[in-house]
């Protein structure tokens, strides 16, 4: 066993080093692209390769796809130390949000890269500026046209990274401990920058053509060597439509419009290919390639529907759903699943945090849905209707599950003191954390926090029913190993005199509605393993390259063709070959994914759990009597002052490492981050006392 672990560690280290070299090579290509070394030396290498294996196409994609093949293996390495060192907030602003050191470093490096790309390109253009006879432009107009053209390259650079933050199964940002929900903001930043650069590129080009009275001729020109301008205008319009409908004002109020218009990305990429040509498309292709594989595997996984095992209507107008899962499916706390209920909508997917722990329950997993929007309100009505019509039994409710998607590690276990701050429904990821910690109390493999404080900010006292799944942890005084303290802040109610224990008992009286029928023999299977994902990515890369080579030699016989013949080859032919090869490669990944899913379903012999229908009453008085009830606190009519809370913790636990995890509305997360930053700065100035570390993390529960 030890020998196998040692060999695995050596292999993992070698793969890590190889991946670092490949990533460095890919970045070097971007940096060298604007230079003379690229335009002269690399083009000579391309020309020599065309007459051999690759034919008309250059070998550049091979470098990208080798990176893709090794990418998934690299995900298995952990960067928790590096991530935590830079995770504390450096910028806290109501407009910019919370930016950590690693985020600021990434943004600075990307802006530096954009500046280098633009400067290197435009300086070379101005040195070799030649008048365009067909346009009859002045010098300043020519320079402005070149500037507009190079802004298109900046949009291309943003596009090359645009899809990486929204990958789920192949999520690259988990390498540095960033969850999918948090990485979506990088997708928003890149998309906004791409649209701004692209809009300037398109409008400025049309402006110059308008000055020369050539706008109609140039727009409709279909060149053999690429640069199909009408395709560029369609790309720009499509991008603007996608960006406008994704603005928060539209996305939050009309989610369906945002969701459906985002599928125009297919039109966007097709016309971008026709506009920019295959050479430029290769630079953005790795992200699209990984997105295609990720998307097809997600579709295959979510096609298998299961059914709701049981439902529970909470007093705060929320619904707790229990779903069946494969016993082999393990997930980490704070994981997220996407669910679709065809009875409500056949197309809408919604993300919810799991409140259960796979270490506690092998056969089911649970989510809580706060029913205050159109889709969630429909779910509440469905559960309520079924409950009344079937004598406390639930008719079969089919549900499709995608995920779970979770963090790559459980770094929250390493803190001496854990401070969990939740706002409203933001309590859900903390429920899974607490259950996971409780299950590991007797394990020698993990070091659990010595002290945990849970702060729950809610509008009404009924929202305390969201804590129903951890009632034994809150009320059982015999559990001395887990030092858990709860502080409740009810913001929209005046003092009622009720204690935390009384409220928990009052709002814990709810009924569990079991499913009366079985509509599916399957349970949630989860994602494919990392090794299989890496194998599928590598296989798809090989299929793409082989298909591209074969199509190229069949359609464009470069071995016997002269340079003059090659020049007469229309660019749209090479574009179609690229799209055909990509489609064939994605179909191959779909076939492999279907086979793997079929094998897993064949092995599964799961009968849905049939538990007795009953009512979960209040915790018996014998359980709630104890010192634990005196530890919990409740405050009415105001919000917590986080700076004071942190100051009290500072005096209680000097010299300890405190993990601060916040999940709630953006304004609350900003307040927590600001207080954490101020306290940390004060501790650094006070050198007489032993330094205390407040390490801030935030979880997003809305996309």
């Amino acid at each position: 066993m030890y020998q196998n672990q040692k060999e695995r560690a050596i292999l993992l280290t070698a793969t890590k080093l190889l991946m670092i070299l490949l990533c460095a090579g890919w970045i070097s290509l971007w940096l060298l692209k604007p230079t003379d070394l690229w335009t002269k030396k690399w083009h000579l290498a391309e020309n020599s390769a065309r007459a051999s294996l690759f034919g008309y196409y250059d070998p550049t994609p091979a470098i990208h796809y080798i990176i893709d093949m090794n990418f998934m293996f690299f995900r298995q390495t952990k960067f928790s130390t590096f991530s935590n060192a830079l995770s504390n907030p450096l910028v806290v602003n109501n407009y910019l949000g919370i930016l950590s050191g690693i985020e600021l470093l990434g943004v600075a490096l990307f802006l530096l890269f954009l500046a280098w790309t633009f400067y290197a390109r435009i300086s070379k253009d101005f040195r070799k500026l030649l008048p365009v006879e067909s346009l009859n432009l002045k010098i300043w107009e020519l320079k402005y046209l070149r500037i507009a053209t190079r802004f298109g390259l900046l949009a291309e650079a943003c596009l090359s990274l645009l899809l990486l933050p929204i990958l789920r199964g192949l999520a690259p940002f988990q390498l540095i401990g960033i969850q999918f929900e948090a990485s979506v903001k990088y997708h928003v930043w890149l998309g906004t920058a791409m649209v701004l650069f692209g809009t300037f590129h398109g409008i400025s080009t049309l402006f110059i053509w308008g000055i020369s009275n050539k706008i109609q001729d140039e727009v409709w020109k279909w060149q053999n060597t690429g640069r199909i301008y009408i395709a560029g205008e369609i790309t720009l319009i499509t991008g603007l439509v996608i960006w406008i409908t994704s603005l928060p004002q539209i996305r939050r109020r009309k989610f369906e419009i945002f969701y459906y218009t985002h599928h125009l990305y297919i039109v966007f990429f097709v016309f971008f290919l026709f506009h920019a040509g295959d050479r430029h498309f290769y630079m953005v292709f790795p992200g699209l390639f990984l997105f295609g594989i990720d998307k097809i595997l997600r579709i295959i996984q979510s096609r298998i529907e299961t059914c709701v095992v049981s439902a529970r209507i909470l007093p705060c107008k929320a619904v707790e759903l229990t779903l069946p899962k494969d016993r082999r499916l393990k997930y980490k706390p704070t994981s997220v699943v996407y669910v679709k209920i065809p009875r409500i909508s056949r197309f809408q997917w919604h993300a919810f945090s799991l409140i259960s722990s796979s270490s506690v329950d092998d056969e089911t997993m649970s989510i809580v849905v706060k029913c205050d929007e159109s889709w969630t309100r429909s779910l509440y009505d469905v559960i309520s209707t079924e409950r009344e019509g079937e004598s406390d039994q639930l008719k079969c409710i089919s549900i499709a599950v995608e995920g779970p998607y979770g963090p790559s590690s459980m770094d929250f276990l390493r803190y001496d003191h854990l401070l969990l701050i939740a706002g409203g429904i933001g309590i859900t990821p903390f429920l899974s954390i607490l259950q996971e910690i409780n299950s590991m109390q007797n394990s020698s493999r993990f070091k659990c926090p010595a002290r945990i404080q849970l702060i729950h900010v809610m509008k009404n006292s009924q929202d305390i029913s969201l804590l129903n799944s951890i009632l034994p942890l809150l009320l059982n005084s015999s559990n001395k190993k887990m030092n858990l303290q709860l502080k409740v802040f009810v913001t929209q109610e005046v003092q009622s005199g009720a204690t935390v224990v009384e409220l928990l008992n009052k709002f814990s009286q709810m009924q569990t509605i079991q499913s009366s029928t079985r509509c599916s023999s399957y349970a949630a299977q989860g994602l494919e393993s990392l090794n299989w994902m890496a194998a599928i990515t590598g296989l798809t890369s090989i299929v793409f390259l082989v298909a591209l080579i074969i199509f190229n030699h069949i359609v464009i016989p470069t071995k016997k063709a002269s340079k003059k013949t090659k020049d007469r080859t229309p660019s749209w032919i090479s574009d179609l070959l690229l799209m055909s090869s990509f489609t064939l490669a994605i179909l191959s990944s779909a076939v492999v994914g279907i086979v793997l899913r079929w094998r897993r379903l064949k092995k599964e012999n799961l009968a849905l759990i049939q538990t007795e229908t009953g009512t979960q009453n209040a915790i018996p008085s014998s359980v709630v009597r104890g010192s634990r009830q005196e530890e919990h606190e409740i405050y009415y009519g105001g919000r917590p002052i986080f700076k004071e809370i942190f100051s009290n913790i500072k005096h209680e636990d000097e010299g300890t490492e405190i993990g601060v995890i916040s999940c709630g509305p953006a304004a609350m997360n900003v307040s927590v981050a600001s207080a954490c930053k101020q306290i940390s700065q004060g501790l650094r100035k006070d050198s007489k006392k032993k330094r205390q570390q407040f390490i801030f993390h935030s979880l997003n529960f809305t996309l």
Side-chain angles (χ1 to χ4, degrees), residues 62-77:
I63 298 174
H64 299 297
Y65 306 137
I66 292 174
I67 294 173
D68 297 335
M69 291 168 63
N70 292 275
F71 186 77
M72 290 311 301
F73 289 111
F74 190 56
R75 284 189 59 212
Q76 300 180 54
T77 60

PDB file of all heavy atoms in Angstrom, residues 62-77:
ATOM      1  N   ALA A  62      -2.146  21.561 -31.761  1.00  0.00           N
ATOM      2  CA  ALA A  62      -1.641  20.413 -31.015  1.00  0.00           C
ATOM      3  C   ALA A  62      -1.143  20.832 -29.637  1.00  0.00           C
ATOM      4  O   ALA A  62      -1.312  20.112 -28.647  1.00  0.00           O
ATOM      5  CB  ALA A  62      -0.524  19.737 -31.800  1.00  0.00           C
ATOM      6  N   ILE A  63      -0.521  22.009 -29.570  1.00  0.00           N
ATOM      7  CA  ILE A  63      -0.012  22.497 -28.283  1.00  0.00           C
ATOM      8  C   ILE A  63      -1.163  22.733 -27.318  1.00  0.00           C
ATOM      9  O   ILE A  63      -1.110  22.355 -26.149  1.00  0.00           O
ATOM     10  CB  ILE A  63       0.799  23.786 -28.497  1.00  0.00           C
ATOM     11  CG1 ILE A  63       2.000  23.487 -29.397  1.00  0.00           C
ATOM     12  CG2 ILE A  63       1.249  24.373 -27.174  1.00  0.00           C
ATOM     13  CD1 ILE A  63       2.780  24.708 -29.789  1.00  0.00           C
ATOM     14  N   HIS A  64      -2.239  23.324 -27.825  1.00  0.00           N
ATOM     15  CA  HIS A  64      -3.384  23.603 -26.966  1.00  0.00           C
ATOM     16  C   HIS A  64      -4.031  22.306 -26.488  1.00  0.00           C
ATOM     17  O   HIS A  64      -4.419  22.182 -25.327  1.00  0.00           O
ATOM     18  CB  HIS A  64      -4.420  24.444 -27.712  1.00  0.00           C
ATOM     19  CG  HIS A  64      -3.891  25.778 -28.146  1.00  0.00           C
ATOM     20  ND1 HIS A  64      -3.478  26.737 -27.255  1.00  0.00           N
ATOM     21  CD2 HIS A  64      -3.701  26.296 -29.387  1.00  0.00           C
ATOM     22  CE1 HIS A  64      -3.063  27.810 -27.923  1.00  0.00           C
ATOM     23  NE2 HIS A  64      -3.190  27.557 -29.212  1.00  0.00           N
ATOM     24  N   TYR A  65      -4.182  21.345 -27.360  1.00  0.00           N
ATOM     25  CA  TYR A  65      -4.909  20.139 -27.010  1.00  0.00           C
ATOM     26  C   TYR A  65      -4.100  19.235 -26.092  1.00  0.00           C
ATOM     27  O   TYR A  65      -4.656  18.507 -25.289  1.00  0.00           O
ATOM     28  CB  TYR A  65      -5.341  19.401 -28.273  1.00  0.00           C
ATOM     29  CG  TYR A  65      -6.110  20.304 -29.183  1.00  0.00           C
ATOM     30  CD1 TYR A  65      -5.888  20.324 -30.552  1.00  0.00           C
ATOM     31  CD2 TYR A  65      -7.044  21.198 -28.653  1.00  0.00           C
ATOM     32  CE1 TYR A  65      -6.577  21.186 -31.368  1.00  0.00           C
ATOM     33  CE2 TYR A  65      -7.733  22.067 -29.463  1.00  0.00           C
ATOM     34  CZ  TYR A  65      -7.499  22.058 -30.825  1.00  0.00           C
ATOM     35  OH  TYR A  65      -8.181  22.916 -31.636  1.00  0.00           O
ATOM     36  N   ILE A  66      -2.763  19.265 -26.211  1.00  0.00           N
ATOM     37  CA  ILE A  66      -1.938  18.536 -25.253  1.00  0.00           C
ATOM     38  C   ILE A  66      -2.156  19.118 -23.860  1.00  0.00           C
ATOM     39  O   ILE A  66      -2.235  18.399 -22.864  1.00  0.00           O
ATOM     40  CB  ILE A  66      -0.455  18.598 -25.654  1.00  0.00           C
ATOM     41  CG1 ILE A  66      -0.221  17.800 -26.945  1.00  0.00           C
ATOM     42  CG2 ILE A  66       0.425  18.050 -24.531  1.00  0.00           C
ATOM     43  CD1 ILE A  66       1.191  17.926 -27.492  1.00  0.00           C
ATOM     44  N   ILE A  67      -2.284  20.439 -23.794  1.00  0.00           N
ATOM     45  CA  ILE A  67      -2.597  21.082 -22.516  1.00  0.00           C
ATOM     46  C   ILE A  67      -3.938  20.595 -21.998  1.00  0.00           C
ATOM     47  O   ILE A  67      -4.101  20.257 -20.824  1.00  0.00           O
ATOM     48  CB  ILE A  67      -2.615  22.621 -22.680  1.00  0.00           C
ATOM     49  CG1 ILE A  67      -1.214  23.131 -23.007  1.00  0.00           C
ATOM     50  CG2 ILE A  67      -3.132  23.287 -21.412  1.00  0.00           C
ATOM     51  CD1 ILE A  67      -1.172  24.592 -23.335  1.00  0.00           C
ATOM     52  N   ASP A  68      -4.936  20.536 -22.895  1.00  0.00           N
ATOM     53  CA  ASP A  68      -6.251  20.079 -22.493  1.00  0.00           C
ATOM     54  C   ASP A  68      -6.220  18.648 -21.967  1.00  0.00           C
ATOM     55  O   ASP A  68      -6.881  18.310 -20.987  1.00  0.00           O
ATOM     56  CB  ASP A  68      -7.225  20.146 -23.677  1.00  0.00           C
ATOM     57  CG  ASP A  68      -7.416  21.562 -24.165  1.00  0.00           C
ATOM     58  OD1 ASP A  68      -7.217  22.475 -23.348  1.00  0.00           O
ATOM     59  OD2 ASP A  68      -7.737  21.739 -25.350  1.00  0.00           O
ATOM     60  N   MET A  69      -5.418  17.770 -22.625  1.00  0.00           N
ATOM     61  CA  MET A  69      -5.360  16.369 -22.235  1.00  0.00           C
ATOM     62  C   MET A  69      -4.821  16.219 -20.819  1.00  0.00           C
ATOM     63  O   MET A  69      -5.248  15.355 -20.064  1.00  0.00           O
ATOM     64  CB  MET A  69      -4.487  15.594 -23.220  1.00  0.00           C
ATOM     65  CG  MET A  69      -5.090  15.453 -24.599  1.00  0.00           C
ATOM     66  SD  MET A  69      -3.900  14.838 -25.795  1.00  0.00           S
ATOM     67  CE  MET A  69      -3.541  13.232 -25.119  1.00  0.00           C
ATOM     68  N   ASN A  70      -3.844  17.027 -20.442  1.00  0.00           N
ATOM     69  CA  ASN A  70      -3.227  16.927 -19.121  1.00  0.00           C
ATOM     70  C   ASN A  70      -3.935  17.771 -18.077  1.00  0.00           C
ATOM     71  O   ASN A  70      -3.620  17.691 -16.900  1.00  0.00           O
ATOM     72  CB  ASN A  70      -1.761  17.373 -19.188  1.00  0.00           C
ATOM     73  CG  ASN A  70      -0.917  16.412 -19.987  1.00  0.00           C
ATOM     74  OD1 ASN A  70      -0.442  15.414 -19.470  1.00  0.00           O
ATOM     75  ND2 ASN A  70      -0.740  16.698 -21.264  1.00  0.00           N
ATOM     76  N   PHE A  71      -4.895  18.559 -18.499  1.00  0.00           N
ATOM     77  CA  PHE A  71      -5.499  19.553 -17.629  1.00  0.00           C
ATOM     78  C   PHE A  71      -6.211  18.905 -16.439  1.00  0.00           C
ATOM     79  O   PHE A  71      -6.084  19.332 -15.295  1.00  0.00           O
ATOM     80  CB  PHE A  71      -6.490  20.394 -18.430  1.00  0.00           C
ATOM     81  CG  PHE A  71      -7.061  21.532 -17.659  1.00  0.00           C
ATOM     82  CD1 PHE A  71      -6.312  22.671 -17.440  1.00  0.00           C
ATOM     83  CD2 PHE A  71      -8.333  21.457 -17.133  1.00  0.00           C
ATOM     84  CE1 PHE A  71      -6.832  23.719 -16.714  1.00  0.00           C
ATOM     85  CE2 PHE A  71      -8.851  22.495 -16.411  1.00  0.00           C
ATOM     86  CZ  PHE A  71      -8.105  23.622 -16.208  1.00  0.00           C
ATOM     87  N   MET A  72      -6.960  17.834 -16.725  1.00  0.00           N
ATOM     88  CA  MET A  72      -7.746  17.241 -15.667  1.00  0.00           C
ATOM     89  C   MET A  72      -6.882  16.551 -14.624  1.00  0.00           C
ATOM     90  O   MET A  72      -7.213  16.516 -13.440  1.00  0.00           O
ATOM     91  CB  MET A  72      -8.749  16.251 -16.263  1.00  0.00           C
ATOM     92  CG  MET A  72      -9.864  16.946 -17.056  1.00  0.00           C
ATOM     93  SD  MET A  72     -10.615  18.299 -16.144  1.00  0.00           S
ATOM     94  CE  MET A  72     -11.198  17.432 -14.723  1.00  0.00           C
ATOM     95  N   PHE A  73      -5.746  15.957 -15.031  1.00  0.00           N
ATOM     96  CA  PHE A  73      -4.856  15.361 -14.057  1.00  0.00           C
ATOM     97  C   PHE A  73      -4.311  16.422 -13.109  1.00  0.00           C
ATOM     98  O   PHE A  73      -4.140  16.188 -11.922  1.00  0.00           O
ATOM     99  CB  PHE A  73      -3.686  14.655 -14.761  1.00  0.00           C
ATOM    100  CG  PHE A  73      -4.110  13.409 -15.470  1.00  0.00           C
ATOM    101  CD1 PHE A  73      -4.110  13.353 -16.857  1.00  0.00           C
ATOM    102  CD2 PHE A  73      -4.502  12.305 -14.752  1.00  0.00           C
ATOM    103  CE1 PHE A  73      -4.493  12.201 -17.503  1.00  0.00           C
ATOM    104  CE2 PHE A  73      -4.879  11.141 -15.401  1.00  0.00           C
ATOM    105  CZ  PHE A  73      -4.878  11.090 -16.788  1.00  0.00           C
ATOM    106  N   PHE A  74      -4.064  17.605 -13.656  1.00  0.00           N
ATOM    107  CA  PHE A  74      -3.495  18.699 -12.865  1.00  0.00           C
ATOM    108  C   PHE A  74      -4.458  19.174 -11.793  1.00  0.00           C
ATOM    109  O   PHE A  74      -4.053  19.693 -10.770  1.00  0.00           O
ATOM    110  CB  PHE A  74      -3.136  19.844 -13.804  1.00  0.00           C
ATOM    111  CG  PHE A  74      -2.334  20.917 -13.129  1.00  0.00           C
ATOM    112  CD1 PHE A  74      -1.148  20.630 -12.499  1.00  0.00           C
ATOM    113  CD2 PHE A  74      -2.782  22.228 -13.161  1.00  0.00           C
ATOM    114  CE1 PHE A  74      -0.409  21.625 -11.904  1.00  0.00           C
ATOM    115  CE2 PHE A  74      -2.045  23.227 -12.565  1.00  0.00           C
ATOM    116  CZ  PHE A  74      -0.858  22.921 -11.935  1.00  0.00           C
ATOM    117  N   ARG A  75      -5.750  18.960 -12.016  1.00  0.00           N
ATOM    118  CA  ARG A  75      -6.755  19.390 -11.046  1.00  0.00           C
ATOM    119  C   ARG A  75      -6.618  18.661  -9.718  1.00  0.00           C
ATOM    120  O   ARG A  75      -7.080  19.130  -8.684  1.00  0.00           O
ATOM    121  CB  ARG A  75      -8.164  19.104 -11.586  1.00  0.00           C
ATOM    122  CG  ARG A  75      -8.647  20.060 -12.647  1.00  0.00           C
ATOM    123  CD  ARG A  75     -10.096  19.794 -12.919  1.00  0.00           C
ATOM    124  NE  ARG A  75     -10.860  19.973 -11.700  1.00  0.00           N
ATOM    125  CZ  ARG A  75     -11.959  19.277 -11.406  1.00  0.00           C
ATOM    126  NH1 ARG A  75     -12.383  18.352 -12.188  1.00  0.00           N
ATOM    127  NH2 ARG A  75     -12.608  19.506 -10.291  1.00  0.00           N
ATOM    128  N   GLN A  76      -5.988  17.470  -9.761  1.00  0.00           N
ATOM    129  CA  GLN A  76      -5.932  16.686  -8.547  1.00  0.00           C
ATOM    130  C   GLN A  76      -4.937  17.253  -7.542  1.00  0.00           C
ATOM    131  O   GLN A  76      -4.936  16.872  -6.377  1.00  0.00           O
ATOM    132  CB  GLN A  76      -5.562  15.249  -8.889  1.00  0.00           C
ATOM    133  CG  GLN A  76      -6.576  14.609  -9.824  1.00  0.00           C
ATOM    134  CD  GLN A  76      -6.205  13.188 -10.149  1.00  0.00           C
ATOM    135  OE1 GLN A  76      -5.988  12.384  -9.256  1.00  0.00           O
ATOM    136  NE2 GLN A  76      -6.114  12.882 -11.411  1.00  0.00           N
ATOM    137  N   THR A  77      -4.052  18.139  -7.966  1.00  0.00           N
ATOM    138  CA  THR A  77      -3.120  18.747  -7.037  1.00  0.00           C
ATOM    139  C   THR A  77      -3.818  19.834  -6.243  1.00  0.00           C
ATOM    140  O   THR A  77      -4.777  20.433  -6.696  1.00  0.00           O
ATOM    141  CB  THR A  77      -1.930  19.362  -7.790  1.00  0.00           C
ATOM    142  OG1 THR A  77      -2.429  20.364  -8.676  1.00  0.00           O
ATOM    143  CG2 THR A  77      -1.194  18.309  -8.578  1.00  0.00           C
TER     144      THR A  77
END
